[in-house]
Amino acid sequence: MANNDDKFKKVISHAKEYGYVFQSSEVYDGLSAVYDYAQNGVELKKNIRDYWWKAMVQMNDNIVGIDAAIFMHPTTWKASGHVDAFNDPLIDNKDSKKRYRADVLVEDFREKILQKINKDVAKAKKRFGDAFDENEFRSTNGNVLRRQKQIDDITERLTEVQEESDLAAFKQLILDLGIVCPVSGSKNWTDVKQFNLMFGTKLGASAESAMDLYLRPETAQGIFVNFLNVQKTGRMKIPFGIAQTGKAFRNEIVARQFIFRMREFEQMEMQFFIKPGSQGEWFKHWKEARLKWHLSLGLGEDNYRFHDHEKLAHYADAATDIEFRFPFGFKELEGIHSRTDFDLKQHEAYSGKKLQYFDHEDNANYTPYVLETSIGLDRMFLAVFSNALQEEELENNTTRTVLKLPAVLAPTKAAILPLVRKDEALVKLSKQIIEDLKWDFSVTYDEKDAVGRRYRRQDANGTPFCITVDGESLEDNTVTIRHRDTMEQQRVKIDDLKAIIKKEVDVKEWLMRM
RNA sequence: GCGAAAGUAGCUCAGGGGUAGAGCAUCACCUUGCCAAGGUGGAGGUCGUGGGUUCAAAUCCCAUCUUUCGCUCCA
């Protein structure tokens, strides 16, 4: 455990030290759970996104991409269920430290009174036998009437505070009813707080005409509302998919663990539209396909596992997570959800527009079912980065810090190093090599310090190749190429460099492992 | 949000009432022909922020912000 904490700390500080991830607004002491991608981080992130995009869109002729706006019509979020499902008022008991939904506390309390009434009724029934008139008893018995009035009062007040969103009155209601915490038994409550999942904002320059908007909490809805547009203009036939990458925003109650859970994050989602009834086989298909994509990067098969959901969200009929072994344990990296026709049906209901597909084979209209794959780009970044960071003990009793990023994802593919800086001919040839390679790969140049130290610097930065230009290079046009992971060197022709590097960093070479 | 710990140079940290230190990194020059830490010199910090106590606060007290860990929540 201590080891893992240690490891995680090293990941965070290495990410900063080598220009991968900075805390947002650091000069102002940072902004909680918001991070910036730095000069190397932005490259790694882009490479991961490209790797996903190529695997999903380019390699599947029935999947296309879109880039829907972050702002969406506010009704979108009513239809999707985000407005209602995440508006719960919460209250904490200060003694037990337990958190409850304030409305549930009141409802439970009301339920208890109702049960008392039922108990009284049952008792009376037993006592009076066949002569018992339940309706009469309920409308005349003093205890029952008193309790019923209590229930009605509670219902009235609860409705009122909920409609008015009056949090102070909500707390007062709980205090007035004398509700105690089931765990601590105390009435020591905090104020009622509203946790909104979505960030609100305003559209419109002047305050009067402004319209309330939300920043999207998931990219999926942009795909659903565009479903028919894409289907028609792209002449797509079911089954087909729409992919999208982009920022999403969630006001997490607890947002922590570096870039694992952020308030602003990036998703890579694909919604696959299918015939109702076929969701079982497509769920299986995408489960396997997505795992293969992960395994192609070679982060180690043991580091992945599926976690099937037993408790399902309101829209799903099956769900699984692909979990990855992060430094702080197995955590969700990607979700695969069978979303049924929930979303399209909802948007159909709220918009009044028909969002259906005409199947020419069946000669019938239907609302397609949806199979979703949704991966967090930032989480994937963290998975790749934390897995790559290693400290090796070498034979000469030194340790080597090396970032073993999959070469296809590495921000810089090769560093060109003149063996000695003072030799102008070496410098000149090095720069010529860079001029040639930079059309195909992102490359860098380093002439500072002894070459051994330069190797180590590139190791720590994750650069898969170092190309060293020496005196011999001037005579026979060969250089040494050093491999990051093995530290082995080969003597190769300068003309062959491009092909050698390409073989190791080309997306094709990696995706073919799927 | 609650509890605990922490915040001093880019990184890792020492110091602990009298106005700042180390190692590494960085920059310049020298040295260096293949796996980090050889030389010389330089730059870099009002010790997270704000207030209080004191003749004097990085050091003590309070508040606040941020981070980490644990709870809690999670589409």
Side-chain angles (χ1 to χ4, degrees):
Chain A
M1 217 32 166
N3 258 348
N4 284 342
D5 284 359
D6 237 39
K7 160 95 192 193
F8 190 37
K9 277 183 185 161
K10 275 182 184 157
V11 167
I12 295 168
S13 64
H14 196 88
K16 180 179 181 188
E17 193 167 357
Y18 287 88
Y20 279 85
V21 181
F22 300 148
Q23 166 109 53
S24 161
S25 320
E26 205 187 58
V27 292
Y28 293 111
D29 290 326
L31 185 60
S32 182
V34 185
Y35 291 88
D36 297 340
Y37 287 87
Q39 66 276 16
N40 285 316
V42 71
E43 294 286 339
L44 175 55
K45 192 177 170 194
K46 171 177 70 70
N47 290 343
I48 295 172
R49 193 191 293 113
D50 287 350
Y51 193 69
W52 181 86
W53 190 269
K54 284 190 172 151
M56 300 300 278
V57 179
Q58 190 170 324
M59 298 307 294
N60 287 293
D61 55 17
N62 60 349
I63 298 180
V64 295
I66 63 167
D67 184 17
I70 288 172
F71 294 149
M72 296 185 71
H73 192 284
T75 308
T76 308
W77 308 112
K78 284 208 169 69
S80 70
H82 287 83
V83 171
D84 294 330
F86 298 97
N87 246 338
D88 305 331
L90 300 174
I91 190 165
D92 293 348
N93 183 271
K94 290 178 187 170
D95 299 310
S96 65
K97 315 285 183 212
K98 291 289 172 196
R99 169 167 293 160
Y100 302 93
R101 273 178 54 179
D103 53 333
V104 171
L105 278 182
V106 174
E107 280 164 9
D108 285 354
F109 185 80
R110 188 177 57 187
E111 180 64 24
K112 268 190 212 153
I113 300 172
L114 189 64
Q115 275 167 15
K116 277 185 192 159
I117 292 179
N118 289 340
K119 218 172 167 185
D120 282 354
V121 170
K123 252 197 242 165
K125 199 174 194 174
K126 210 173 168 188
R127 189 145 33 99
F128 292 111
D130 290 341
F132 181 64
D133 182 338
E134 185 172 329
N135 283 335
E136 194 187 332
F137 182 78
R138 279 181 186 273
S139 57
T140 55
N141 181 281
N143 273 340
V144 172
L145 285 176
R146 185 173 49 79
R147 288 190 171 128
Q148 189 56 50
K149 170 142 185 6
Q150 220 181 339
I151 288 176
D152 293 342
D153 285 349
I154 292 172
T155 306
E156 193 183 321
R157 283 184 69 182
L158 181 62
T159 311
E160 195 180 319
V161 297
Q162 281 179 323
E163 277 174 2
E164 307 273 314
S165 291
D166 188 340
L167 300 181
F170 214 139
K171 183 182 182 184
Q172 198 54 49
L173 174 60
I174 287 169
L175 294 177
D176 289 348
L177 296 174
I179 294 175
V180 298
C181 169
V183 176
S184 68
S186 86
K187 297 173 191 169
N188 193 8
W189 297 106
T190 62
D191 290 343
V192 176
K193 294 190 180 74
Q194 193 102 13
F195 288 94
N196 294 318
L197 170 96
M198 291 190 287
F199 287 93
T201 187
K202 304 263 186 196
L203 180 73
S206 73
E208 312 86 70
S209 64
M211 179 188 199
D212 281 313
L213 283 191
Y214 296 106
L215 301 183
R216 67 182 176 202
E218 64 175 16
T219 56
Q221 299 305 327
I223 295 178
F224 295 136
V225 300
N226 278 301
F227 154 73
L228 213 51
N229 281 339
V230 172
Q231 190 271 319
K232 294 216 153 128
T233 58
R235 297 183 296 121
M236 309 301 288
K237 289 198 170 51
I238 274 181
F240 73 94
I242 303 176
Q244 161 158 237
T245 70
K247 289 282 180 81
F249 305 83
R250 295 183 191 179
N251 229 333
E252 302 282 352
I253 297 174
V254 175
R256 247 187 256 157
Q257 278 163 321
F258 195 40
I259 57 172
F260 183 80
R261 182 172 280 119
M262 294 192 289
R263 300 221 154 90
E264 173 181 343
F265 61 103
E266 186 161 346
Q267 295 184 309
M268 303 192 287
E269 291 196 317
M270 192 277 296
Q271 308 293 336
F272 202 66
F273 298 90
I274 55 178
K275 202 166 165 173
S278 67
Q279 65 267 36
E281 64 186 89
W282 283 111
F283 183 66
K284 188 161 169 280
H285 168 85
W286 281 109
K287 232 177 121 167
E288 286 167 10
R290 292 305 304 147
L291 184 63
K292 275 188 194 162
W293 180 84
H294 285 283
L295 294 179
S296 73
L297 287 169
L299 304 190
E301 207 164 333
D302 292 349
N303 290 325
Y304 297 92
R305 71 180 187 199
F306 283 112
H307 173 245
D308 294 322
H309 289 211
E310 276 150 29
K311 211 180 94 192
L312 296 168
H314 57 274
Y315 54 70
D317 71 357
T320 193
D321 295 336
I322 295 176
E323 295 188 333
F324 183 77
R325 195 198 304 267
F326 287 96
F328 39 85
F330 271 104
K331 295 278 180 182
E332 178 186 356
L333 174 61
E334 172 158 6
I336 295 149
H337 295 228
S338 177
R339 291 183 80 131
T340 70
D341 56 3
F342 176 85
D343 299 279
L344 290 178
K345 279 261 171 72
Q346 285 291 104
H347 288 304
E348 199 166 42
Y350 276 79
S351 69
K353 308 267 163 51
K354 200 168 168 186
L355 293 176
Q356 294 182 5
Y357 174 80
F358 183 76
D359 194 319
H360 287 274
E361 272 178 32
D362 296 1
N363 200 29
N365 274 311
Y366 58 78
T367 305
Y369 268 44
V370 172
L371 208 294
E372 166 189 270
T373 73
S374 174
I375 172 169
L377 175 50
D378 311 273
R379 288 184 179 185
M380 188 63 196
F381 183 107
L382 184 58
V384 169
F385 191 87
S386 61
N387 186 267
L389 183 61
Q390 293 177 25
E391 281 190 355
E392 290 180 348
E393 299 290 332
L394 300 184
E395 289 167 7
N396 60 1
N397 273 331
T398 61
T399 60
R400 179 173 83 120
T401 301
V402 53
L403 197 59
K404 293 188 172 178
L405 297 172
V408 65
L409 302 180
T412 305
K413 305 305 187 195
I416 314 339
L417 319 170
L419 187 59
V420 195
R421 172 168 51 169
K422 261 172 43 180
D423 190 331
E424 281 176 28
L426 298 188
V427 170
K428 194 176 161 207
L429 180 54
S430 299
K431 295 202 166 160
Q432 271 172 20
I433 294 172
I434 285 181
E435 281 306 309
D436 186 37
L437 291 181
K438 78 180 186 189
W439 293 90
D440 296 288
F441 315 109
S442 72
V443 292
T444 189
Y445 173 77
D446 192 1
E447 59 175 25
K448 182 100 199 303
D449 299 314
V451 73
R453 188 198 283 248
R454 282 180 267 166
Y455 288 152
R456 298 298 182 88
R457 202 151 47 212
Q458 295 302 329
D459 287 343
N461 211 32
T463 308
F465 299 104
C466 286
I467 293 157
T468 305
V469 179
D470 56 23
E472 211 181 316
S473 308
L474 301 172
E475 289 156 23
D476 62 3
N477 274 316
T478 64
V479 289
T480 60
I481 183 164
R482 171 191 179 271
H483 297 254
R484 177 195 65 198
D485 295 348
T486 58
M487 303 201 305
E488 276 166 13
Q489 287 177 265
Q490 303 165 256
R491 192 90 208 168
V492 302
K493 286 193 194 128
I494 291 174
D495 288 343
D496 293 341
L497 279 175
K498 200 174 288 179
I500 294 169
I501 298 171
K502 186 172 162 64
K503 186 155 173 35
E504 297 294 326
V505 306
D506 198 41
V507 173
K508 179 182 174 186
E509 298 291 334
W510 288 76
L511 279 181
M512 276 174 60
R513 299 174 193 179
M514 275 180 71

